[in-house]
Amino acid sequence: MSSRSLPQGLPRRIATLSVHTSPLHQPGTGDAGGMNVYIVEVSKRLAKAGIEIEVFTRTTGGDLPPRAELAPGVTVRHISAGPYEGLAKEDLPAQLCAFTHGVLGIEAARPPGHYDLLASHYWLSGQVGWLAKDRWGVPLVHTAHTLAKVKNLQLAEGDRAEPMGRVVGEEQVVEQSDRLVANTPTEARELIDLYHAPLERVAVVAPGVDLERFRPGDRLAARARLGLPPHAKIVAFVGRIQPLKAPDVLIRALAELRDPDAIALVVGGPSGSGLDRPTSLIELADSLGVRDRVRFLPPQAGDRLADVYRAADLVAVPSHNESFGLVALEAQACGTPVVAAAVGGLVTAVRDEVSGVLVDGHAAADWARVLDRLLAEPGRRDELALGAVKHAYDFSWDHTTARLLDVYREAMTEHRSRRQLELAGCARW
Ligand code: UDP
């Protein structure tokens, strides 16, 4: 569909802001995770619907071109702001002025009114969007992905509290956004109760899952492709390795499992405060005497990631908090039941005792009890596997995109009416 045939009221061009991580990065390590997947999947579909997408992200390498095509109709624009490498996420606020300058410069070189809407992801981008929205006279639709106040309420041992600067920065973005996109009703509540977001500006839009890539497949073949033993019971953890995601809970539970041959498969790379001690999981496995039963794989992409989910008897998501938990959905789409902590978005992503099991708290003994029960009962696992596939089918990136289009249309209509009223007020004055 070309932008000329777009239904009325929809944006023709969207400036998407993703300051701290690029949609071109491999998720599962460093700062790249579910937000990157979200931006890629949604941008591709918006472009297919006829909307031009430009994603602005910080340049993190001297060899990156100023612009790169992510997919037809989706351009990534690299903005120079601070050193290419070695800049921690905590130091990015100091580069927001440079980043905003780069974004505004690109828009200024275009005919007036080039972008119709700003979509910002994570609070750093929201800050840039706040200024750009005022300059361009367009609505700002913000997705937080994680919230500092929520994270600080559920801090993992060894994790750093989010600083006051971020808390205040998020409050400002909440106040300035025309619409706030929440992944789940739980996140919507958090925005309203903790950040005082006006109810009418919060829209719940569930993220999706790529059902073509993540689908059930032969477990033994997947294990053979990954070099995993065909008969051992395998519980997988997939994601960025940091205290918030609590992969240590799986290692501790492994040490308490009745099956002495069960294996924990840990897939992903260090991230956040996990970067301070990248070998901590290995040290933990050593100290518990289970090092030979823990397999590590670096971040996996595409079909190999689907194979990881298929190869596992269970996927564990023991996070202290998740705004949604895409990994849980992807595992279920592959027909693998998920054992997840009963926190945040995981309560939506997993249907307790239907597509997996939700566990209260992070005590290794509780996790070992649930894992033991499921690993000993193949019939129950099969039932949950069926429930998992069915549940995952309730989510898709097409649905997410369709809902977002509604949100964009509302934001544009409301923004236009407000501006007309403002103009009328000025004229009377
Ligand atoms: N991921 C990946 N390769 C890996 C590990 C993770 O591509 O080795 C992707 C995974 O498919 C998922 C995302 O990273 O889509 C993680 O999203 P999630 O919502 O689970 O966690 P987040 O990173 O947003 O905290």
Side-chain angles (χ1 to χ4, degrees), residues 18 20-44 55 57 70 121 145 240 326 397:
S18 176
H20 78 287
T21 178
S22 165
L24 297 169
H25 290 162
Q26 167 62 47
T29 188
D31 289 330
M35 179 180 131
N36 304 61
V37 174
Y38 189 109
I39 292 176
V40 170
E41 297 296 338
V42 163
S43 298
K44 285 199 288 202
V55 187
T57 190
L70 176 79
H121 295 268
H145 294 278
R240 293 182 286 150
L326 291 182
W397 291 115

PDB file of all heavy atoms in Angstrom, residues 18 20-44 55 57 70 121 145 240 326 397:
ATOM      1  N   SER A  18      14.897   5.485  19.143  1.00  0.00           N
ATOM      2  CA  SER A  18      15.431   4.351  19.900  1.00  0.00           C
ATOM      3  C   SER A  18      16.881   4.700  20.248  1.00  0.00           C
ATOM      4  O   SER A  18      17.816   4.186  19.651  1.00  0.00           O
ATOM      5  CB  SER A  18      15.358   3.086  19.037  1.00  0.00           C
ATOM      6  OG  SER A  18      15.953   2.000  19.712  1.00  0.00           O
ATOM      7  N   HIS A  20      19.098   4.315  22.814  1.00  0.00           N
ATOM      8  CA  HIS A  20      20.181   3.556  23.455  1.00  0.00           C
ATOM      9  C   HIS A  20      20.473   2.207  22.825  1.00  0.00           C
ATOM     10  O   HIS A  20      21.449   1.565  23.208  1.00  0.00           O
ATOM     11  CB  HIS A  20      19.904   3.406  24.954  1.00  0.00           C
ATOM     12  CG  HIS A  20      18.887   2.351  25.284  1.00  0.00           C
ATOM     13  ND1 HIS A  20      17.559   2.521  25.044  1.00  0.00           N
ATOM     14  CD2 HIS A  20      19.019   1.129  25.834  1.00  0.00           C
ATOM     15  CE1 HIS A  20      16.909   1.450  25.454  1.00  0.00           C
ATOM     16  NE2 HIS A  20      17.776   0.584  25.930  1.00  0.00           N
ATOM     17  N   THR A  21      19.665   1.784  21.893  1.00  0.00           N
ATOM     18  CA  THR A  21      19.941   0.489  21.271  1.00  0.00           C
ATOM     19  C   THR A  21      19.335   0.466  19.876  1.00  0.00           C
ATOM     20  O   THR A  21      18.273   1.042  19.651  1.00  0.00           O
ATOM     21  CB  THR A  21      19.421  -0.663  22.157  1.00  0.00           C
ATOM     22  OG1 THR A  21      19.654  -1.904  21.505  1.00  0.00           O
ATOM     23  CG2 THR A  21      17.950  -0.527  22.480  1.00  0.00           C
ATOM     24  N   SER A  22      20.048  -0.181  18.955  1.00  0.00           N
ATOM     25  CA  SER A  22      19.617  -0.124  17.554  1.00  0.00           C
ATOM     26  C   SER A  22      18.813  -1.368  17.165  1.00  0.00           C
ATOM     27  O   SER A  22      19.142  -2.476  17.591  1.00  0.00           O
ATOM     28  CB  SER A  22      20.860  -0.050  16.660  1.00  0.00           C
ATOM     29  OG  SER A  22      20.512  -0.344  15.334  1.00  0.00           O
ATOM     30  N   PRO A  23      17.809  -1.175  16.321  1.00  0.00           N
ATOM     31  CA  PRO A  23      17.078  -2.356  15.839  1.00  0.00           C
ATOM     32  C   PRO A  23      17.969  -3.270  14.994  1.00  0.00           C
ATOM     33  O   PRO A  23      17.580  -4.391  14.693  1.00  0.00           O
ATOM     34  CB  PRO A  23      15.945  -1.755  15.009  1.00  0.00           C
ATOM     35  CG  PRO A  23      16.366  -0.372  14.693  1.00  0.00           C
ATOM     36  CD  PRO A  23      17.259   0.073  15.800  1.00  0.00           C
ATOM     37  N   LEU A  24      19.168  -2.780  14.647  1.00  0.00           N
ATOM     38  CA  LEU A  24      20.086  -3.639  13.874  1.00  0.00           C
ATOM     39  C   LEU A  24      20.937  -4.531  14.787  1.00  0.00           C
ATOM     40  O   LEU A  24      21.644  -5.407  14.316  1.00  0.00           O
ATOM     41  CB  LEU A  24      21.013  -2.771  13.005  1.00  0.00           C
ATOM     42  CG  LEU A  24      20.306  -1.926  11.946  1.00  0.00           C
ATOM     43  CD1 LEU A  24      21.269  -0.913  11.327  1.00  0.00           C
ATOM     44  CD2 LEU A  24      19.693  -2.803  10.864  1.00  0.00           C
ATOM     45  N   HIS A  25      20.868  -4.301  16.117  1.00  0.00           N
ATOM     46  CA  HIS A  25      21.674  -5.112  17.050  1.00  0.00           C
ATOM     47  C   HIS A  25      21.036  -6.493  17.283  1.00  0.00           C
ATOM     48  O   HIS A  25      19.818  -6.627  17.284  1.00  0.00           O
ATOM     49  CB  HIS A  25      21.801  -4.418  18.412  1.00  0.00           C
ATOM     50  CG  HIS A  25      22.654  -3.190  18.384  1.00  0.00           C
ATOM     51  ND1 HIS A  25      22.614  -2.228  19.360  1.00  0.00           N
ATOM     52  CD2 HIS A  25      23.576  -2.762  17.478  1.00  0.00           C
ATOM     53  CE1 HIS A  25      23.473  -1.267  19.075  1.00  0.00           C
ATOM     54  NE2 HIS A  25      24.062  -1.558  17.930  1.00  0.00           N
ATOM     55  N   GLN A  26      21.887  -7.482  17.550  1.00  0.00           N
ATOM     56  CA  GLN A  26      21.391  -8.811  17.914  1.00  0.00           C
ATOM     57  C   GLN A  26      20.855  -8.775  19.359  1.00  0.00           C
ATOM     58  O   GLN A  26      21.594  -8.460  20.285  1.00  0.00           O
ATOM     59  CB  GLN A  26      22.534  -9.841  17.814  1.00  0.00           C
ATOM     60  CG  GLN A  26      22.226 -11.194  18.458  1.00  0.00           C
ATOM     61  CD  GLN A  26      21.050 -11.914  17.806  1.00  0.00           C
ATOM     62  OE1 GLN A  26      20.972 -12.014  16.594  1.00  0.00           O
ATOM     63  NE2 GLN A  26      20.118 -12.405  18.622  1.00  0.00           N
ATOM     64  N   PRO A  27      19.574  -9.099  19.558  1.00  0.00           N
ATOM     65  CA  PRO A  27      19.040  -9.101  20.926  1.00  0.00           C
ATOM     66  C   PRO A  27      19.606 -10.271  21.750  1.00  0.00           C
ATOM     67  O   PRO A  27      20.059 -11.264  21.201  1.00  0.00           O
ATOM     68  CB  PRO A  27      17.532  -9.299  20.725  1.00  0.00           C
ATOM     69  CG  PRO A  27      17.275  -9.040  19.285  1.00  0.00           C
ATOM     70  CD  PRO A  27      18.536  -9.386  18.564  1.00  0.00           C
ATOM     71  N   GLY A  28      19.546 -10.092  23.067  1.00  0.00           N
ATOM     72  CA  GLY A  28      19.967 -11.176  23.966  1.00  0.00           C
ATOM     73  C   GLY A  28      21.281 -10.898  24.658  1.00  0.00           C
ATOM     74  O   GLY A  28      21.800 -11.750  25.375  1.00  0.00           O
ATOM     75  N   THR A  29      21.830  -9.705  24.474  1.00  0.00           N
ATOM     76  CA  THR A  29      23.080  -9.337  25.137  1.00  0.00           C
ATOM     77  C   THR A  29      23.161  -7.816  25.208  1.00  0.00           C
ATOM     78  O   THR A  29      22.490  -7.121  24.422  1.00  0.00           O
ATOM     79  CB  THR A  29      24.297  -9.930  24.390  1.00  0.00           C
ATOM     80  OG1 THR A  29      25.477  -9.709  25.165  1.00  0.00           O
ATOM     81  CG2 THR A  29      24.472  -9.344  23.003  1.00  0.00           C
ATOM     82  N   GLY A  30      23.978  -7.297  26.134  1.00  0.00           N
ATOM     83  CA  GLY A  30      24.116  -5.842  26.268  1.00  0.00           C
ATOM     84  C   GLY A  30      22.759  -5.189  26.488  1.00  0.00           C
ATOM     85  O   GLY A  30      21.951  -5.671  27.277  1.00  0.00           O
ATOM     86  N   ASP A  31      22.516  -4.102  25.753  1.00  0.00           N
ATOM     87  CA  ASP A  31      21.247  -3.389  25.926  1.00  0.00           C
ATOM     88  C   ASP A  31      20.169  -3.857  24.942  1.00  0.00           C
ATOM     89  O   ASP A  31      19.073  -3.290  24.908  1.00  0.00           O
ATOM     90  CB  ASP A  31      21.476  -1.877  25.735  1.00  0.00           C
ATOM     91  CG  ASP A  31      22.244  -1.279  26.894  1.00  0.00           C
ATOM     92  OD1 ASP A  31      22.105  -1.800  28.019  1.00  0.00           O
ATOM     93  OD2 ASP A  31      23.000  -0.311  26.675  1.00  0.00           O
ATOM     94  N   ALA A  32      20.500  -4.839  24.121  1.00  0.00           N
ATOM     95  CA  ALA A  32      19.531  -5.261  23.092  1.00  0.00           C
ATOM     96  C   ALA A  32      18.676  -6.424  23.587  1.00  0.00           C
ATOM     97  O   ALA A  32      19.197  -7.460  24.000  1.00  0.00           O
ATOM     98  CB  ALA A  32      20.275  -5.664  21.819  1.00  0.00           C
ATOM     99  N   GLY A  33      17.373  -6.221  23.542  1.00  0.00           N
ATOM    100  CA  GLY A  33      16.454  -7.271  24.010  1.00  0.00           C
ATOM    101  C   GLY A  33      15.107  -7.138  23.326  1.00  0.00           C
ATOM    102  O   GLY A  33      15.022  -6.857  22.122  1.00  0.00           O
ATOM    103  N   GLY A  34      14.073  -7.284  24.127  1.00  0.00           N
ATOM    104  CA  GLY A  34      12.719  -7.298  23.584  1.00  0.00           C
ATOM    105  C   GLY A  34      12.341  -6.008  22.871  1.00  0.00           C
ATOM    106  O   GLY A  34      11.598  -6.027  21.889  1.00  0.00           O
ATOM    107  N   MET A  35      12.876  -4.876  23.346  1.00  0.00           N
ATOM    108  CA  MET A  35      12.533  -3.595  22.704  1.00  0.00           C
ATOM    109  C   MET A  35      13.010  -3.571  21.256  1.00  0.00           C
ATOM    110  O   MET A  35      12.321  -3.063  20.367  1.00  0.00           O
ATOM    111  CB  MET A  35      13.173  -2.459  23.511  1.00  0.00           C
ATOM    112  CG  MET A  35      12.913  -1.097  22.950  1.00  0.00           C
ATOM    113  SD  MET A  35      13.707   0.160  23.962  1.00  0.00           S
ATOM    114  CE  MET A  35      14.533   1.081  22.676  1.00  0.00           C
ATOM    115  N   ASN A  36      14.191  -4.132  21.015  1.00  0.00           N
ATOM    116  CA  ASN A  36      14.724  -4.179  19.644  1.00  0.00           C
ATOM    117  C   ASN A  36      13.805  -5.026  18.758  1.00  0.00           C
ATOM    118  O   ASN A  36      13.487  -4.647  17.626  1.00  0.00           O
ATOM    119  CB  ASN A  36      16.127  -4.780  19.640  1.00  0.00           C
ATOM    120  CG  ASN A  36      17.061  -4.027  20.571  1.00  0.00           C
ATOM    121  OD1 ASN A  36      16.807  -3.965  21.759  1.00  0.00           O
ATOM    122  ND2 ASN A  36      18.110  -3.449  20.042  1.00  0.00           N
ATOM    123  N   VAL A  37      13.404  -6.176  19.297  1.00  0.00           N
ATOM    124  CA  VAL A  37      12.520  -7.075  18.534  1.00  0.00           C
ATOM    125  C   VAL A  37      11.202  -6.352  18.249  1.00  0.00           C
ATOM    126  O   VAL A  37      10.685  -6.383  17.121  1.00  0.00           O
ATOM    127  CB  VAL A  37      12.278  -8.383  19.332  1.00  0.00           C
ATOM    128  CG1 VAL A  37      11.260  -9.271  18.645  1.00  0.00           C
ATOM    129  CG2 VAL A  37      13.596  -9.129  19.539  1.00  0.00           C
ATOM    130  N   TYR A  38      10.679  -5.686  19.252  1.00  0.00           N
ATOM    131  CA  TYR A  38       9.411  -4.957  19.130  1.00  0.00           C
ATOM    132  C   TYR A  38       9.507  -3.937  17.984  1.00  0.00           C
ATOM    133  O   TYR A  38       8.654  -3.875  17.085  1.00  0.00           O
ATOM    134  CB  TYR A  38       9.132  -4.249  20.462  1.00  0.00           C
ATOM    135  CG  TYR A  38       7.774  -3.624  20.612  1.00  0.00           C
ATOM    136  CD1 TYR A  38       6.822  -4.167  21.462  1.00  0.00           C
ATOM    137  CD2 TYR A  38       7.424  -2.468  19.911  1.00  0.00           C
ATOM    138  CE1 TYR A  38       5.564  -3.588  21.622  1.00  0.00           C
ATOM    139  CE2 TYR A  38       6.184  -1.881  20.059  1.00  0.00           C
ATOM    140  CZ  TYR A  38       5.258  -2.451  20.921  1.00  0.00           C
ATOM    141  OH  TYR A  38       4.020  -1.876  21.067  1.00  0.00           O
ATOM    142  N   ILE A  39      10.570  -3.125  18.014  1.00  0.00           N
ATOM    143  CA  ILE A  39      10.695  -2.056  17.011  1.00  0.00           C
ATOM    144  C   ILE A  39      10.827  -2.653  15.606  1.00  0.00           C
ATOM    145  O   ILE A  39      10.193  -2.187  14.651  1.00  0.00           O
ATOM    146  CB  ILE A  39      11.888  -1.128  17.349  1.00  0.00           C
ATOM    147  CG1 ILE A  39      11.585  -0.352  18.629  1.00  0.00           C
ATOM    148  CG2 ILE A  39      12.191  -0.161  16.196  1.00  0.00           C
ATOM    149  CD1 ILE A  39      12.711   0.536  19.121  1.00  0.00           C
ATOM    150  N   VAL A  40      11.623  -3.715  15.476  1.00  0.00           N
ATOM    151  CA  VAL A  40      11.801  -4.339  14.149  1.00  0.00           C
ATOM    152  C   VAL A  40      10.462  -4.874  13.635  1.00  0.00           C
ATOM    153  O   VAL A  40      10.044  -4.573  12.500  1.00  0.00           O
ATOM    154  CB  VAL A  40      12.838  -5.495  14.230  1.00  0.00           C
ATOM    155  CG1 VAL A  40      12.838  -6.301  12.937  1.00  0.00           C
ATOM    156  CG2 VAL A  40      14.235  -4.943  14.514  1.00  0.00           C
ATOM    157  N   GLU A  41       9.783  -5.654  14.458  1.00  0.00           N
ATOM    158  CA  GLU A  41       8.563  -6.332  13.985  1.00  0.00           C
ATOM    159  C   GLU A  41       7.449  -5.325  13.658  1.00  0.00           C
ATOM    160  O   GLU A  41       6.762  -5.447  12.643  1.00  0.00           O
ATOM    161  CB  GLU A  41       8.069  -7.339  15.044  1.00  0.00           C
ATOM    162  CG  GLU A  41       9.045  -8.477  15.317  1.00  0.00           C
ATOM    163  CD  GLU A  41       9.274  -9.378  14.109  1.00  0.00           C
ATOM    164  OE1 GLU A  41       8.417  -9.405  13.196  1.00  0.00           O
ATOM    165  OE2 GLU A  41      10.328 -10.061  14.075  1.00  0.00           O
ATOM    166  N   VAL A  42       7.301  -4.328  14.528  1.00  0.00           N
ATOM    167  CA  VAL A  42       6.235  -3.351  14.311  1.00  0.00           C
ATOM    168  C   VAL A  42       6.571  -2.437  13.122  1.00  0.00           C
ATOM    169  O   VAL A  42       5.710  -2.162  12.276  1.00  0.00           O
ATOM    170  CB  VAL A  42       5.998  -2.540  15.614  1.00  0.00           C
ATOM    171  CG1 VAL A  42       5.220  -1.278  15.334  1.00  0.00           C
ATOM    172  CG2 VAL A  42       5.257  -3.396  16.639  1.00  0.00           C
ATOM    173  N   SER A  43       7.847  -2.021  13.026  1.00  0.00           N
ATOM    174  CA  SER A  43       8.220  -1.110  11.934  1.00  0.00           C
ATOM    175  C   SER A  43       7.987  -1.767  10.579  1.00  0.00           C
ATOM    176  O   SER A  43       7.484  -1.143   9.637  1.00  0.00           O
ATOM    177  CB  SER A  43       9.694  -0.700  12.051  1.00  0.00           C
ATOM    178  OG  SER A  43       9.907  -0.008  13.242  1.00  0.00           O
ATOM    179  N   LYS A  44       8.374  -3.049  10.480  1.00  0.00           N
ATOM    180  CA  LYS A  44       8.194  -3.749   9.193  1.00  0.00           C
ATOM    181  C   LYS A  44       6.714  -3.779   8.798  1.00  0.00           C
ATOM    182  O   LYS A  44       6.361  -3.562   7.633  1.00  0.00           O
ATOM    183  CB  LYS A  44       8.716  -5.191   9.306  1.00  0.00           C
ATOM    184  CG  LYS A  44      10.232  -5.281   9.300  1.00  0.00           C
ATOM    185  CD  LYS A  44      10.744  -6.650   8.951  1.00  0.00           C
ATOM    186  CE  LYS A  44      10.542  -7.667  10.008  1.00  0.00           C
ATOM    187  NZ  LYS A  44      11.374  -8.833   9.998  1.00  0.00           N
ATOM    188  N   VAL A  55      13.922   5.133  11.890  1.00  0.00           N
ATOM    189  CA  VAL A  55      14.301   4.846  13.276  1.00  0.00           C
ATOM    190  C   VAL A  55      15.610   5.569  13.571  1.00  0.00           C
ATOM    191  O   VAL A  55      16.627   5.316  12.920  1.00  0.00           O
ATOM    192  CB  VAL A  55      14.478   3.330  13.507  1.00  0.00           C
ATOM    193  CG1 VAL A  55      14.710   3.061  14.994  1.00  0.00           C
ATOM    194  CG2 VAL A  55      13.289   2.533  12.988  1.00  0.00           C
ATOM    195  N   THR A  57      18.731   6.181  15.949  1.00  0.00           N
ATOM    196  CA  THR A  57      19.443   5.518  17.036  1.00  0.00           C
ATOM    197  C   THR A  57      20.864   6.053  17.114  1.00  0.00           C
ATOM    198  O   THR A  57      21.370   6.629  16.147  1.00  0.00           O
ATOM    199  CB  THR A  57      19.417   3.981  16.835  1.00  0.00           C
ATOM    200  OG1 THR A  57      19.914   3.350  18.011  1.00  0.00           O
ATOM    201  CG2 THR A  57      20.242   3.537  15.646  1.00  0.00           C
ATOM    202  N   LEU A  70      16.548  -1.163   6.968  1.00  0.00           N
ATOM    203  CA  LEU A  70      16.248  -2.342   7.797  1.00  0.00           C
ATOM    204  C   LEU A  70      15.327  -3.296   7.042  1.00  0.00           C
ATOM    205  O   LEU A  70      15.456  -4.516   7.116  1.00  0.00           O
ATOM    206  CB  LEU A  70      15.587  -1.887   9.102  1.00  0.00           C
ATOM    207  CG  LEU A  70      15.113  -2.969  10.056  1.00  0.00           C
ATOM    208  CD1 LEU A  70      16.285  -3.523  10.847  1.00  0.00           C
ATOM    209  CD2 LEU A  70      14.067  -2.428  11.017  1.00  0.00           C
ATOM    210  N   HIS A 121      10.744   5.071  22.370  1.00  0.00           N
ATOM    211  CA  HIS A 121      10.881   3.813  23.109  1.00  0.00           C
ATOM    212  C   HIS A 121      11.928   3.980  24.195  1.00  0.00           C
ATOM    213  O   HIS A 121      13.066   4.319  23.916  1.00  0.00           O
ATOM    214  CB  HIS A 121      11.277   2.684  22.151  1.00  0.00           C
ATOM    215  CG  HIS A 121      10.204   2.393  21.151  1.00  0.00           C
ATOM    216  ND1 HIS A 121       9.223   1.449  21.353  1.00  0.00           N
ATOM    217  CD2 HIS A 121       9.924   2.973  19.955  1.00  0.00           C
ATOM    218  CE1 HIS A 121       8.405   1.435  20.321  1.00  0.00           C
ATOM    219  NE2 HIS A 121       8.811   2.353  19.447  1.00  0.00           N
ATOM    220  N   HIS A 145       8.634   0.393  28.024  1.00  0.00           N
ATOM    221  CA  HIS A 145       9.332  -0.907  28.047  1.00  0.00           C
ATOM    222  C   HIS A 145       9.728  -1.331  29.464  1.00  0.00           C
ATOM    223  O   HIS A 145       9.457  -2.470  29.845  1.00  0.00           O
ATOM    224  CB  HIS A 145      10.520  -0.952  27.094  1.00  0.00           C
ATOM    225  CG  HIS A 145      10.093  -0.848  25.655  1.00  0.00           C
ATOM    226  ND1 HIS A 145       9.648  -1.924  24.935  1.00  0.00           N
ATOM    227  CD2 HIS A 145      10.003   0.217  24.825  1.00  0.00           C
ATOM    228  CE1 HIS A 145       9.304  -1.538  23.724  1.00  0.00           C
ATOM    229  NE2 HIS A 145       9.505  -0.228  23.635  1.00  0.00           N
ATOM    230  N   ARG A 240      19.011 -11.831  28.366  1.00  0.00           N
ATOM    231  CA  ARG A 240      20.196 -11.083  28.789  1.00  0.00           C
ATOM    232  C   ARG A 240      20.576 -11.519  30.198  1.00  0.00           C
ATOM    233  O   ARG A 240      19.705 -11.627  31.071  1.00  0.00           O
ATOM    234  CB  ARG A 240      19.877  -9.591  28.738  1.00  0.00           C
ATOM    235  CG  ARG A 240      19.660  -9.147  27.296  1.00  0.00           C
ATOM    236  CD  ARG A 240      19.383  -7.690  27.189  1.00  0.00           C
ATOM    237  NE  ARG A 240      18.043  -7.357  27.646  1.00  0.00           N
ATOM    238  CZ  ARG A 240      17.732  -6.203  28.188  1.00  0.00           C
ATOM    239  NH1 ARG A 240      18.658  -5.295  28.376  1.00  0.00           N
ATOM    240  NH2 ARG A 240      16.499  -5.949  28.544  1.00  0.00           N
ATOM    241  N   LEU A 326       8.914 -11.468  26.185  1.00  0.00           N
ATOM    242  CA  LEU A 326       8.742 -12.064  24.850  1.00  0.00           C
ATOM    243  C   LEU A 326       9.261 -13.496  24.804  1.00  0.00           C
ATOM    244  O   LEU A 326       8.706 -14.351  24.104  1.00  0.00           O
ATOM    245  CB  LEU A 326       9.478 -11.231  23.794  1.00  0.00           C
ATOM    246  CG  LEU A 326       8.908  -9.853  23.485  1.00  0.00           C
ATOM    247  CD1 LEU A 326       9.724  -9.188  22.387  1.00  0.00           C
ATOM    248  CD2 LEU A 326       7.450  -9.961  23.063  1.00  0.00           C
ATOM    249  N   TRP A 397       2.266 -10.118  15.967  1.00  0.00           N
ATOM    250  CA  TRP A 397       2.714  -8.751  15.677  1.00  0.00           C
ATOM    251  C   TRP A 397       1.724  -8.029  14.764  1.00  0.00           C
ATOM    252  O   TRP A 397       1.661  -6.801  14.758  1.00  0.00           O
ATOM    253  CB  TRP A 397       4.127  -8.767  15.068  1.00  0.00           C
ATOM    254  CG  TRP A 397       5.177  -9.173  16.054  1.00  0.00           C
ATOM    255  CD1 TRP A 397       5.953 -10.295  16.017  1.00  0.00           C
ATOM    256  CD2 TRP A 397       5.574  -8.466  17.244  1.00  0.00           C
ATOM    257  NE1 TRP A 397       6.799 -10.333  17.108  1.00  0.00           N
ATOM    258  CE2 TRP A 397       6.589  -9.217  17.871  1.00  0.00           C
ATOM    259  CE3 TRP A 397       5.171  -7.275  17.841  1.00  0.00           C
ATOM    260  CZ2 TRP A 397       7.206  -8.824  19.058  1.00  0.00           C
ATOM    261  CZ3 TRP A 397       5.777  -6.873  19.023  1.00  0.00           C
ATOM    262  CH2 TRP A 397       6.784  -7.636  19.609  1.00  0.00           C
TER     263      TRP A 397
END
